[in-house]
Amino acid sequence: MTAVKAPAKTFDDIKDMAFERALKELEAIVGRLERGDVDLEESIAIYERGEALRDHCDRLLKAAEAKVEKLTLAADGTPKGTTPLDKDNGAPF
């Protein structure tokens, strides 16, 4: 008999959360889980919220990375414009 996976919980308040706030809450959840000062049911609930926060932070970081541009230089070393960040083009990320 195979177990049916419960649908993932949605945390609607997270989708509009600023990166810094989401990261701070995620760090607080990790701290609570590491200390072990929560019962099993609450641990599961805050772990699920932590996963949603981590996913949100990851999406925000990827969106920010996509907006980063690198400076292009002319032959004489002066800036001539920008091009989109390309990981395969020697970018430092």
Side-chain angles (χ1 to χ4, degrees):
M1 182 177 208
T2 58
V4 177
K5 189 175 181 180
K9 289 183 182 180
T10 59
F11 299 96
D12 292 333
D13 63 315
I14 292 175
K15 68 181 178 183
D16 297 321
M17 199 177 282
F19 176 82
E20 292 78 7
R21 180 172 170 221
L23 184 60
K24 186 173 183 175
E25 184 177 342
L26 179 57
E27 289 171 341
I29 287 172
V30 169
R32 290 183 69 197
L33 290 171
E34 286 177 342
R35 285 190 306 274
D37 61 356
V38 291
D39 62 27
L40 179 60
E41 289 300 316
E42 187 178 0
S43 292
I44 293 169
I46 66 174
Y47 177 85
E48 290 172 347
R49 183 164 177 84
E51 281 292 307
L53 287 162
R54 183 193 57 80
D55 290 343
H56 178 66
C57 287
D58 188 50
R59 278 190 304 275
L60 291 175
L61 284 173
K62 285 179 180 174
E65 185 178 277
K67 292 178 182 178
V68 172
E69 295 181 329
K70 66 177 183 176
L71 190 60
T72 58
L73 302 176
D76 65 358
T78 60
K80 70 175 186 178
T82 59
T83 58
L85 174 69
D86 181 356
K87 285 186 177 185
D88 296 330
N89 199 15
F93 300 103

mmCIF file of all heavy atoms in Angstrom, residues 33-74:
data_model
loop_
_atom_site.group_PDB
_atom_site.id
_atom_site.type_symbol
_atom_site.label_atom_id
_atom_site.label_comp_id
_atom_site.label_asym_id
_atom_site.label_seq_id
_atom_site.Cartn_x
_atom_site.Cartn_y
_atom_site.Cartn_z
ATOM 1 N N LEU A 33 14.394 24.954 15.534
ATOM 2 C CA LEU A 33 14.520 23.524 15.248
ATOM 3 C C LEU A 33 15.832 22.960 15.780
ATOM 4 O O LEU A 33 15.868 21.847 16.299
ATOM 5 C CB LEU A 33 14.397 23.274 13.739
ATOM 6 C CG LEU A 33 13.007 23.498 13.138
ATOM 7 C CD1 LEU A 33 13.062 23.429 11.622
ATOM 8 C CD2 LEU A 33 12.008 22.487 13.694
ATOM 9 N N GLU A 34 16.903 23.721 15.660
ATOM 10 C CA GLU A 34 18.206 23.266 16.165
ATOM 11 C C GLU A 34 18.208 23.131 17.681
ATOM 12 O O GLU A 34 18.830 22.224 18.223
ATOM 13 C CB GLU A 34 19.316 24.206 15.717
ATOM 14 C CG GLU A 34 19.667 24.062 14.245
ATOM 15 C CD GLU A 34 20.725 25.040 13.783
ATOM 16 O OE1 GLU A 34 20.974 26.055 14.472
ATOM 17 O OE2 GLU A 34 21.302 24.795 12.704
ATOM 18 N N ARG A 35 17.531 24.057 18.359
ATOM 19 C CA ARG A 35 17.458 23.988 19.827
ATOM 20 C C ARG A 35 16.584 22.837 20.304
ATOM 21 O O ARG A 35 16.750 22.351 21.409
ATOM 22 C CB ARG A 35 16.924 25.304 20.398
ATOM 23 C CG ARG A 35 17.926 26.428 20.393
ATOM 24 C CD ARG A 35 17.437 27.626 21.186
ATOM 25 N NE ARG A 35 16.134 28.108 20.757
ATOM 26 C CZ ARG A 35 15.900 28.980 19.771
ATOM 27 N NH1 ARG A 35 16.919 29.460 19.089
ATOM 28 N NH2 ARG A 35 14.685 29.367 19.474
ATOM 29 N N GLY A 36 15.632 22.450 19.470
ATOM 30 C CA GLY A 36 14.750 21.348 19.837
ATOM 31 C C GLY A 36 13.736 21.706 20.900
ATOM 32 O O GLY A 36 13.273 20.839 21.633
ATOM 33 N N ASP A 37 13.396 22.992 20.998
ATOM 34 C CA ASP A 37 12.478 23.419 22.053
ATOM 35 C C ASP A 37 11.022 23.476 21.608
ATOM 36 O O ASP A 37 10.211 24.156 22.215
ATOM 37 C CB ASP A 37 12.920 24.759 22.651
ATOM 38 C CG ASP A 37 12.945 25.895 21.635
ATOM 39 O OD1 ASP A 37 12.687 25.642 20.440
ATOM 40 O OD2 ASP A 37 13.232 27.034 22.034
ATOM 41 N N VAL A 38 10.681 22.747 20.538
ATOM 42 C CA VAL A 38 9.299 22.687 20.065
ATOM 43 C C VAL A 38 8.875 21.227 19.965
ATOM 44 O O VAL A 38 9.704 20.341 19.725
ATOM 45 C CB VAL A 38 9.121 23.390 18.700
ATOM 46 C CG1 VAL A 38 9.292 24.885 18.836
ATOM 47 C CG2 VAL A 38 10.070 22.859 17.669
ATOM 48 N N ASP A 39 7.581 20.981 20.173
ATOM 49 C CA ASP A 39 7.104 19.599 20.086
ATOM 50 C C ASP A 39 7.061 19.150 18.625
ATOM 51 O O ASP A 39 7.242 19.947 17.702
ATOM 52 C CB ASP A 39 5.750 19.437 20.768
ATOM 53 C CG ASP A 39 4.645 20.275 20.141
ATOM 54 O OD1 ASP A 39 4.730 20.590 18.941
ATOM 55 O OD2 ASP A 39 3.686 20.602 20.860
ATOM 56 N N LEU A 40 6.811 17.877 18.421
ATOM 57 C CA LEU A 40 6.889 17.282 17.097
ATOM 58 C C LEU A 40 5.938 17.937 16.100
ATOM 59 O O LEU A 40 6.348 18.281 14.982
ATOM 60 C CB LEU A 40 6.601 15.783 17.174
ATOM 61 C CG LEU A 40 6.623 15.032 15.843
ATOM 62 C CD1 LEU A 40 7.988 15.140 15.185
ATOM 63 C CD2 LEU A 40 6.235 13.588 16.059
ATOM 64 N N GLU A 41 4.693 18.112 16.462
ATOM 65 C CA GLU A 41 3.715 18.703 15.542
ATOM 66 C C GLU A 41 4.116 20.119 15.132
ATOM 67 O O GLU A 41 4.031 20.489 13.966
ATOM 68 C CB GLU A 41 2.321 18.704 16.159
ATOM 69 C CG GLU A 41 1.706 17.335 16.260
ATOM 70 C CD GLU A 41 1.539 16.637 14.916
ATOM 71 O OE1 GLU A 41 1.097 17.297 13.947
ATOM 72 O OE2 GLU A 41 1.869 15.446 14.838
ATOM 73 N N GLU A 42 4.557 20.913 16.095
ATOM 74 C CA GLU A 42 4.981 22.277 15.775
ATOM 75 C C GLU A 42 6.257 22.257 14.937
ATOM 76 O O GLU A 42 6.425 23.078 14.032
ATOM 77 C CB GLU A 42 5.184 23.104 17.043
ATOM 78 C CG GLU A 42 5.458 24.558 16.731
ATOM 79 C CD GLU A 42 5.612 25.432 17.962
ATOM 80 O OE1 GLU A 42 5.504 24.928 19.094
ATOM 81 O OE2 GLU A 42 5.854 26.637 17.765
ATOM 82 N N SER A 43 7.142 21.313 15.223
ATOM 83 C CA SER A 43 8.367 21.185 14.428
ATOM 84 C C SER A 43 8.035 20.939 12.965
ATOM 85 O O SER A 43 8.638 21.541 12.068
ATOM 86 C CB SER A 43 9.230 20.033 14.937
ATOM 87 O OG SER A 43 9.760 20.306 16.196
ATOM 88 N N ILE A 44 7.074 20.070 12.718
ATOM 89 C CA ILE A 44 6.670 19.780 11.347
ATOM 90 C C ILE A 44 6.084 21.026 10.692
ATOM 91 O O ILE A 44 6.427 21.365 9.555
ATOM 92 C CB ILE A 44 5.667 18.606 11.317
ATOM 93 C CG1 ILE A 44 6.381 17.326 11.747
ATOM 94 C CG2 ILE A 44 5.041 18.458 9.932
ATOM 95 C CD1 ILE A 44 5.450 16.159 12.023
ATOM 96 N N ALA A 45 5.225 21.723 11.416
ATOM 97 C CA ALA A 45 4.580 22.919 10.873
ATOM 98 C C ALA A 45 5.597 24.012 10.558
ATOM 99 O O ALA A 45 5.550 24.619 9.476
ATOM 100 C CB ALA A 45 3.529 23.440 11.843
ATOM 101 N N ILE A 46 6.531 24.264 11.473
ATOM 102 C CA ILE A 46 7.484 25.333 11.208
ATOM 103 C C ILE A 46 8.521 24.905 10.173
ATOM 104 O O ILE A 46 9.044 25.737 9.431
ATOM 105 C CB ILE A 46 8.140 25.906 12.496
ATOM 106 C CG1 ILE A 46 9.018 24.881 13.205
ATOM 107 C CG2 ILE A 46 7.091 26.487 13.409
ATOM 108 C CD1 ILE A 46 9.793 25.446 14.385
ATOM 109 N N TYR A 47 8.799 23.609 10.085
ATOM 110 C CA TYR A 47 9.683 23.117 9.035
ATOM 111 C C TYR A 47 9.061 23.390 7.665
ATOM 112 O O TYR A 47 9.744 23.852 6.744
ATOM 113 C CB TYR A 47 9.959 21.623 9.212
ATOM 114 C CG TYR A 47 10.821 21.061 8.107
ATOM 115 C CD1 TYR A 47 12.202 21.149 8.181
ATOM 116 C CD2 TYR A 47 10.249 20.475 6.981
ATOM 117 C CE1 TYR A 47 13.004 20.650 7.161
ATOM 118 C CE2 TYR A 47 11.040 19.981 5.949
ATOM 119 C CZ TYR A 47 12.410 20.074 6.052
ATOM 120 O OH TYR A 47 13.196 19.594 5.037
ATOM 121 N N GLU A 48 7.760 23.106 7.532
ATOM 122 C CA GLU A 48 7.067 23.358 6.266
ATOM 123 C C GLU A 48 7.095 24.841 5.918
ATOM 124 O O GLU A 48 7.310 25.221 4.768
ATOM 125 C CB GLU A 48 5.626 22.856 6.336
ATOM 126 C CG GLU A 48 5.534 21.347 6.360
ATOM 127 C CD GLU A 48 4.127 20.834 6.628
ATOM 128 O OE1 GLU A 48 3.248 21.628 7.046
ATOM 129 O OE2 GLU A 48 3.898 19.628 6.421
ATOM 130 N N ARG A 49 6.894 25.687 6.908
ATOM 131 C CA ARG A 49 6.966 27.129 6.662
ATOM 132 C C ARG A 49 8.389 27.521 6.266
ATOM 133 O O ARG A 49 8.603 28.339 5.374
ATOM 134 C CB ARG A 49 6.502 27.915 7.885
ATOM 135 C CG ARG A 49 6.503 29.418 7.631
ATOM 136 C CD ARG A 49 5.710 30.175 8.666
ATOM 137 N NE ARG A 49 5.773 31.601 8.439
ATOM 138 C CZ ARG A 49 4.993 32.286 7.608
ATOM 139 N NH1 ARG A 49 4.049 31.647 6.931
ATOM 140 N NH2 ARG A 49 5.126 33.580 7.450
ATOM 141 N N GLY A 50 9.361 26.931 6.922
ATOM 142 C CA GLY A 50 10.757 27.194 6.586
ATOM 143 C C GLY A 50 11.077 26.824 5.146
ATOM 144 O O GLY A 50 11.791 27.548 4.452
ATOM 145 N N GLU A 51 10.540 25.708 4.682
ATOM 146 C CA GLU A 51 10.739 25.304 3.284
ATOM 147 C C GLU A 51 10.132 26.339 2.337
ATOM 148 O O GLU A 51 10.738 26.692 1.328
ATOM 149 C CB GLU A 51 10.108 23.929 3.030
ATOM 150 C CG GLU A 51 10.946 22.787 3.522
ATOM 151 C CD GLU A 51 12.224 22.631 2.727
ATOM 152 O OE1 GLU A 51 12.178 22.547 1.484
ATOM 153 O OE2 GLU A 51 13.294 22.605 3.354
ATOM 154 N N ALA A 52 8.945 26.832 2.669
ATOM 155 C CA ALA A 52 8.293 27.849 1.831
ATOM 156 C C ALA A 52 9.115 29.139 1.834
ATOM 157 O O ALA A 52 9.277 29.785 0.794
ATOM 158 C CB ALA A 52 6.875 28.107 2.319
ATOM 159 N N LEU A 53 9.656 29.504 2.985
ATOM 160 C CA LEU A 53 10.494 30.695 3.081
ATOM 161 C C LEU A 53 11.776 30.525 2.269
ATOM 162 O O LEU A 53 12.213 31.430 1.563
ATOM 163 C CB LEU A 53 10.830 31.006 4.546
ATOM 164 C CG LEU A 53 9.692 31.569 5.379
ATOM 165 C CD1 LEU A 53 9.993 31.415 6.863
ATOM 166 C CD2 LEU A 53 9.424 33.026 5.029
ATOM 167 N N ARG A 54 12.381 29.354 2.354
ATOM 168 C CA ARG A 54 13.611 29.077 1.600
ATOM 169 C C ARG A 54 13.347 29.164 0.102
ATOM 170 O O ARG A 54 14.120 29.769 -0.638
ATOM 171 C CB ARG A 54 14.164 27.694 1.956
ATOM 172 C CG ARG A 54 15.489 27.386 1.257
ATOM 173 C CD ARG A 54 15.867 25.928 1.359
ATOM 174 N NE ARG A 54 14.859 25.031 0.835
ATOM 175 C CZ ARG A 54 14.685 24.762 -0.476
ATOM 176 N NH1 ARG A 54 15.437 25.328 -1.368
ATOM 177 N NH2 ARG A 54 13.749 23.911 -0.854
ATOM 178 N N ASP A 55 12.233 28.587 -0.338
ATOM 179 C CA ASP A 55 11.883 28.661 -1.757
ATOM 180 C C ASP A 55 11.673 30.107 -2.202
ATOM 181 O O ASP A 55 12.111 30.508 -3.280
ATOM 182 C CB ASP A 55 10.616 27.847 -2.048
ATOM 183 C CG ASP A 55 10.838 26.345 -1.933
ATOM 184 O OD1 ASP A 55 12.010 25.900 -1.940
ATOM 185 O OD2 ASP A 55 9.834 25.617 -1.831
ATOM 186 N N HIS A 56 11.012 30.880 -1.355
ATOM 187 C CA HIS A 56 10.757 32.296 -1.667
ATOM 188 C C HIS A 56 12.073 33.066 -1.774
ATOM 189 O O HIS A 56 12.281 33.815 -2.735
ATOM 190 C CB HIS A 56 9.853 32.898 -0.593
ATOM 191 C CG HIS A 56 9.558 34.343 -0.775
ATOM 192 N ND1 HIS A 56 8.813 34.824 -1.834
ATOM 193 C CD2 HIS A 56 9.901 35.430 -0.032
ATOM 194 C CE1 HIS A 56 8.717 36.147 -1.737
ATOM 195 N NE2 HIS A 56 9.370 36.531 -0.659
ATOM 196 N N CYS A 57 12.957 32.869 -0.817
ATOM 197 C CA CYS A 57 14.261 33.545 -0.847
ATOM 198 C C CYS A 57 15.041 33.143 -2.093
ATOM 199 O O CYS A 57 15.673 33.993 -2.740
ATOM 200 C CB CYS A 57 15.066 33.213 0.411
ATOM 201 S SG CYS A 57 14.462 34.013 1.908
ATOM 202 N N ASP A 58 14.981 31.875 -2.449
ATOM 203 C CA ASP A 58 15.679 31.399 -3.641
ATOM 204 C C ASP A 58 15.131 32.069 -4.894
ATOM 205 O O ASP A 58 15.901 32.512 -5.758
ATOM 206 C CB ASP A 58 15.541 29.877 -3.742
ATOM 207 C CG ASP A 58 16.390 29.287 -4.842
ATOM 208 O OD1 ASP A 58 17.601 29.597 -4.899
ATOM 209 O OD2 ASP A 58 15.841 28.521 -5.657
ATOM 210 N N ARG A 59 13.819 32.187 -4.999
ATOM 211 C CA ARG A 59 13.216 32.856 -6.161
ATOM 212 C C ARG A 59 13.630 34.322 -6.227
ATOM 213 O O ARG A 59 13.953 34.840 -7.301
ATOM 214 C CB ARG A 59 11.687 32.765 -6.100
ATOM 215 C CG ARG A 59 11.122 31.458 -6.596
ATOM 216 C CD ARG A 59 9.607 31.507 -6.746
ATOM 217 N NE ARG A 59 8.917 31.879 -5.519
ATOM 218 C CZ ARG A 59 8.581 31.040 -4.553
ATOM 219 N NH1 ARG A 59 8.883 29.766 -4.661
ATOM 220 N NH2 ARG A 59 7.945 31.463 -3.484
ATOM 221 N N LEU A 60 13.635 34.993 -5.064
ATOM 222 C CA LEU A 60 14.029 36.402 -5.046
ATOM 223 C C LEU A 60 15.487 36.578 -5.445
ATOM 224 O O LEU A 60 15.830 37.514 -6.179
ATOM 225 C CB LEU A 60 13.772 37.013 -3.666
ATOM 226 C CG LEU A 60 12.310 37.181 -3.266
ATOM 227 C CD1 LEU A 60 12.200 37.679 -1.830
ATOM 228 C CD2 LEU A 60 11.587 38.126 -4.208
ATOM 229 N N LEU A 61 16.352 35.693 -4.976
ATOM 230 C CA LEU A 61 17.773 35.778 -5.339
ATOM 231 C C LEU A 61 17.974 35.537 -6.834
ATOM 232 O O LEU A 61 18.757 36.238 -7.485
ATOM 233 C CB LEU A 61 18.591 34.771 -4.537
ATOM 234 C CG LEU A 61 18.855 35.146 -3.091
ATOM 235 C CD1 LEU A 61 19.522 33.985 -2.363
ATOM 236 C CD2 LEU A 61 19.690 36.399 -2.984
ATOM 237 N N LYS A 62 17.261 34.572 -7.385
ATOM 238 C CA LYS A 62 17.384 34.308 -8.820
ATOM 239 C C LYS A 62 16.880 35.481 -9.641
ATOM 240 O O LYS A 62 17.466 35.824 -10.668
ATOM 241 C CB LYS A 62 16.642 33.031 -9.180
ATOM 242 C CG LYS A 62 17.380 31.787 -8.733
ATOM 243 C CD LYS A 62 16.634 30.528 -9.074
ATOM 244 C CE LYS A 62 17.443 29.326 -8.583
ATOM 245 N NZ LYS A 62 16.722 28.079 -8.753
ATOM 246 N N ALA A 63 15.792 36.107 -9.186
ATOM 247 C CA ALA A 63 15.270 37.276 -9.895
ATOM 248 C C ALA A 63 16.265 38.428 -9.837
ATOM 249 O O ALA A 63 16.487 39.131 -10.830
ATOM 250 C CB ALA A 63 13.928 37.706 -9.303
ATOM 251 N N ALA A 64 16.886 38.616 -8.673
ATOM 252 C CA ALA A 64 17.875 39.686 -8.527
ATOM 253 C C ALA A 64 19.089 39.407 -9.411
ATOM 254 O O ALA A 64 19.616 40.313 -10.062
ATOM 255 C CB ALA A 64 18.290 39.827 -7.071
ATOM 256 N N GLU A 65 19.505 38.163 -9.437
ATOM 257 C CA GLU A 65 20.658 37.795 -10.256
ATOM 258 C C GLU A 65 20.383 38.061 -11.735
ATOM 259 O O GLU A 65 21.263 38.508 -12.475
ATOM 260 C CB GLU A 65 20.979 36.315 -10.050
ATOM 261 C CG GLU A 65 22.220 35.848 -10.754
ATOM 262 C CD GLU A 65 22.514 34.397 -10.465
ATOM 263 O OE1 GLU A 65 23.117 34.124 -9.418
ATOM 264 O OE2 GLU A 65 22.138 33.553 -11.292
ATOM 265 N N ALA A 66 19.159 37.800 -12.160
ATOM 266 C CA ALA A 66 18.802 38.026 -13.561
ATOM 267 C C ALA A 66 18.865 39.503 -13.926
ATOM 268 O O ALA A 66 19.066 39.856 -15.088
ATOM 269 C CB ALA A 66 17.412 37.475 -13.845
ATOM 270 N N LYS A 67 18.712 40.364 -12.942
ATOM 271 C CA LYS A 67 18.737 41.807 -13.201
ATOM 272 C C LYS A 67 20.140 42.395 -13.184
ATOM 273 O O LYS A 67 20.359 43.508 -13.638
ATOM 274 C CB LYS A 67 17.894 42.543 -12.156
ATOM 275 C CG LYS A 67 16.423 42.252 -12.275
ATOM 276 C CD LYS A 67 15.664 42.977 -11.193
ATOM 277 C CE LYS A 67 14.197 42.659 -11.249
ATOM 278 N NZ LYS A 67 13.457 43.316 -10.173
ATOM 279 N N VAL A 68 21.070 41.635 -12.640
ATOM 280 C CA VAL A 68 22.436 42.140 -12.543
ATOM 281 C C VAL A 68 23.025 42.257 -13.937
ATOM 282 O O VAL A 68 22.868 41.385 -14.775
ATOM 283 C CB VAL A 68 23.316 41.205 -11.684
ATOM 284 C CG1 VAL A 68 24.776 41.623 -11.736
ATOM 285 C CG2 VAL A 68 22.829 41.192 -10.247
ATOM 286 N N GLU A 69 23.674 43.355 -14.162
ATOM 287 C CA GLU A 69 24.339 43.556 -15.445
ATOM 288 C C GLU A 69 25.826 43.753 -15.192
ATOM 289 O O GLU A 69 26.228 44.231 -14.135
ATOM 290 C CB GLU A 69 23.782 44.788 -16.149
ATOM 291 C CG GLU A 69 22.339 44.662 -16.551
ATOM 292 C CD GLU A 69 21.838 45.896 -17.257
ATOM 293 O OE1 GLU A 69 22.313 46.996 -16.953
ATOM 294 O OE2 GLU A 69 20.979 45.741 -18.106
ATOM 295 N N LYS A 70 26.591 43.358 -16.152
ATOM 296 C CA LYS A 70 28.021 43.595 -16.008
ATOM 297 C C LYS A 70 28.442 44.700 -16.960
ATOM 298 O O LYS A 70 27.897 44.869 -18.044
ATOM 299 C CB LYS A 70 28.823 42.321 -16.246
ATOM 300 C CG LYS A 70 28.768 41.804 -17.637
ATOM 301 C CD LYS A 70 29.656 40.595 -17.761
ATOM 302 C CE LYS A 70 29.653 40.129 -19.196
ATOM 303 N NZ LYS A 70 30.552 39.035 -19.413
ATOM 304 N N LEU A 71 29.389 45.434 -16.530
ATOM 305 C CA LEU A 71 29.911 46.562 -17.292
ATOM 306 C C LEU A 71 30.779 46.048 -18.429
ATOM 307 O O LEU A 71 31.598 45.158 -18.249
ATOM 308 C CB LEU A 71 30.742 47.441 -16.368
ATOM 309 C CG LEU A 71 31.211 48.781 -16.848
ATOM 310 C CD1 LEU A 71 30.020 49.650 -17.212
ATOM 311 C CD2 LEU A 71 32.022 49.467 -15.771
ATOM 312 N N THR A 72 30.574 46.584 -19.619
ATOM 313 C CA THR A 72 31.443 46.240 -20.745
ATOM 314 C C THR A 72 32.386 47.411 -20.987
ATOM 315 O O THR A 72 32.008 48.566 -20.837
ATOM 316 C CB THR A 72 30.643 45.929 -22.019
ATOM 317 O OG1 THR A 72 29.838 47.049 -22.358
ATOM 318 C CG2 THR A 72 29.763 44.713 -21.835
ATOM 319 N N LEU A 73 33.597 47.072 -21.340
ATOM 320 C CA LEU A 73 34.622 48.096 -21.542
ATOM 321 C C LEU A 73 35.038 48.164 -22.998
ATOM 322 O O LEU A 73 35.106 47.154 -23.704
ATOM 323 C CB LEU A 73 35.845 47.793 -20.671
ATOM 324 C CG LEU A 73 35.596 47.690 -19.163
ATOM 325 C CD1 LEU A 73 36.882 47.295 -18.457
ATOM 326 C CD2 LEU A 73 35.062 48.986 -18.611
ATOM 327 N N ALA A 74 35.331 49.357 -23.429
ATOM 328 C CA ALA A 74 35.873 49.570 -24.768
ATOM 329 C C ALA A 74 37.330 49.137 -24.772
ATOM 330 O O ALA A 74 37.920 48.877 -23.728
ATOM 331 C CB ALA A 74 35.741 51.049 -25.146
#
